[in-house]
Amino acid sequence: MTSAPARDPGPAPPEVQLRILKVLVFSQALGGAGMAAGITVGALLAQDLLGSTGLAGLPVALFAAGAAAGALGAGQISQRWGRRPGLALGHATAAVGSVGVVAAATARTVPLLLFSLFVYGAGTATNLLARYAGADLAAPEERGRATGTVLLATTLGAVAGPGLAGPTGAVAHAWDLPRLTGPFLLAVVAYTAAALVLALWLRPDPLLLARERQSGQATESGGRRGHSGGAGVVAGAAVMVTGQLVMIAVMTMTPVHMTGHGHSTQAAGLVIALHVGAMFLPSPLTGLLVDRVGRLPVATASGGVLLAAGVLAALAPPTGTAGTVLLAAALVLLGVGWNLGLVSGSALVTDAAAPEARAATQGLVDVGMAIAGATGGMVSGLVVAGSGYRWLALCAGVVALAVIPLVARASQSRSYGAPSLSRSTV
């Protein structure tokens, strides 16, 4: 039986929340550009230094392992000292990892490269964790939009970053460094700038202020303190972890499936680009739906959209233009379904977790997401090798439906959210 969550003291003054969002948007745009380095050239660097195409996927595993450690560490630091040191230190860690990658590639030192990729992955975990900071001081009925705003800012840098691979590679070459280190040079600058922005300007600290306001509310109501609403945390975590597992599994093997059936590398790249755009660009609209329609309906919709993505990918012809178009549509749906789950799940967890336990709880949820992503990446290859891409896509879609009974259970338990959510989320 779950205990009732603490009463929400209401939103912070609008000017304070606006300032917090501006700082987060600026830092996330920078962080997104840094995150793009790993996506753009991480596998190519590993292939170059290791001399093996089969090991080119190793950076994905290292990013995922690092992200799990980073999410746990940043969550604990934020829990104890606030969002500002947690997020700033995370971005600084990514900058240090980027320096290590550049040094390893220049010296052609494999152990240093692998360790640096792990450190880089640990730092990049803060790119997603920042979405929670945007919702700390938001009114319950505005948390979805606040989360969506921060996620959209990440897209700005992530989309621009790959386009700078050529210019940054030229800079690296001019400095007698390997061209592939160019995006990581950008990551050093971007993550360092993001860390400074957060350390200097994320004031007041949104989590600490939310905690103070909650403490004041508890004092006025006779000293009662809140506890995490178990049903809401479980439902939100399940939605996000399932979405991450399904999304990573299908996304990872789609380029392999396409190039293996005669599609060009450019076509596969376009499909993945559309997918990444669909992951983040709908965030403001998703946030609006989460606030207006409700957390639970949007979370349920995420399972349906992910199922549709899996079925469409399974039915797409493996060759020809029609196959490319249908796979592109499937991957767009895959990104949208993931986005629906991430924004609604984040709001559910934030609603259910009391401020005194919120950051640690959110960090643990993101550890689960990182582990799910690593699992999806590893299992997807085995499924495709044993049964084919169509079975992978179909099974992933069916797995996505697992969120529906969990969401239904949370809907039956009215103990997961703030009191004001009865109008906007159920």
Side-chain angles (χ1 to χ4, degrees):
M1 180 177 180
T2 57
S3 55
R7 292 173 59 195
D8 197 293
E15 63 273 13
V16 174
Q17 172 67 354
L18 181 60
R19 172 182 170 81
I20 295 298
L21 285 178
K22 285 181 178 179
V23 174
L24 289 172
V25 165
F26 189 26
S27 65
Q28 284 300 101
L30 292 168
M35 183 175 64
I39 300 173
T40 307
V41 298
L44 295 176
L45 267 176
Q47 181 180 7
D48 180 48
L49 265 67
L50 296 171
S52 170
T53 303
L55 294 175
L58 189 58
V60 176
L62 291 170
F63 293 159
L72 181 61
Q76 293 297 326
I77 292 171
S78 297
Q79 181 65 44
R80 187 166 182 177
W81 292 295
R83 298 286 188 197
R84 183 162 55 89
L87 295 178
L89 183 59
H91 284 79
T93 299
V96 171
S98 301
V99 171
V101 171
V102 173
T106 303
R108 301 193 67 80
T109 305
V110 172
L112 178 59
L113 175 68
L114 300 181
F115 176 74
S116 298
L117 288 172
F118 176 86
V119 174
Y120 170 81
T124 59
T126 52
N127 284 97
L128 273 182
L129 277 172
R131 73 191 188 277
Y132 293 119
D136 279 333
L137 293 174
E141 64 273 14
E142 296 177 355
R143 283 176 181 156
R145 279 166 286 181
T147 300
T149 298
V150 176
L151 286 173
L152 179 64
T154 308
T155 317
L156 302 178
V159 170
L164 297 174
T168 56
V171 171
H173 182 69
W175 291 353
D176 292 326
L177 299 172
R179 285 186 179 271
L180 288 176
T181 63
F184 280 97
L185 290 175
L186 173 63
V188 173
V189 175
Y191 274 122
T192 300
L196 290 174
V197 166
L198 290 165
L200 295 175
W201 293 323
L202 193 61
R203 301 172 187 271
D205 189 288
L207 181 62
L208 296 184
L209 181 56
R211 195 176 294 164
E212 290 174 6
R213 291 168 60 79
Q214 188 71 60
S215 177
Q217 182 75 13
T219 300
E220 293 175 7
S221 61
R224 178 185 173 189
R225 293 178 66 82
H227 302 279
S228 294
V233 171
V234 170
V239 170
M240 290 188 282
V241 167
T242 304
Q244 185 80 350
L245 174 69
V246 170
M247 186 274 292
I248 292 293
V250 177
M251 179 196 71
T252 299
M253 296 310 297
T254 297
V256 177
H257 169 71
M258 292 183 67
T259 55
H261 286 84
H263 294 275
S264 67
T265 304
Q266 290 81 359
L270 176 60
V271 168
I272 295 301
L274 291 172
H275 165 69
V276 173
M279 286 174 61
F280 292 104
L281 288 176
S283 297
L285 177 59
T286 302
L288 181 63
L289 289 173
V290 166
D291 291 334
R292 296 287 179 86
V293 178
R295 277 76 160 147
L296 299 178
V298 174
T300 302
S302 72
V305 174
L306 289 172
L307 172 63
V311 171
L312 186 59
L315 294 177
T319 59
T321 303
T324 302
V325 171
L326 289 177
L327 283 172
L331 269 289
V332 167
L333 285 176
L334 187 72
V336 171
W338 178 87
N339 183 269
L340 292 171
L342 184 70
V343 178
S344 61
S346 299
L348 279 167
V349 171
T350 300
D351 293 340
E356 63 266 23
R358 184 175 292 164
T361 301
Q362 292 164 337
L364 286 173
V365 169
D366 277 25
V367 170
M369 287 183 63
I371 294 173
T375 302
M378 290 186 293
V379 171
S380 64
L382 297 175
V383 173
V384 169
S387 303
Y389 177 80
R390 287 185 171 180
W391 275 107
L392 169 70
L394 186 59
C395 290
V398 172
V399 168
L401 293 180
V403 305
I404 294 178
L406 288 170
V407 170
R409 181 180 178 185
S411 180
Q412 294 171 358
S413 171
R414 306 301 287 248
S415 61
Y416 64 88
S420 60
L421 294 181
S422 59
R423 173 180 60 84
S424 62
T425 68
V426 179

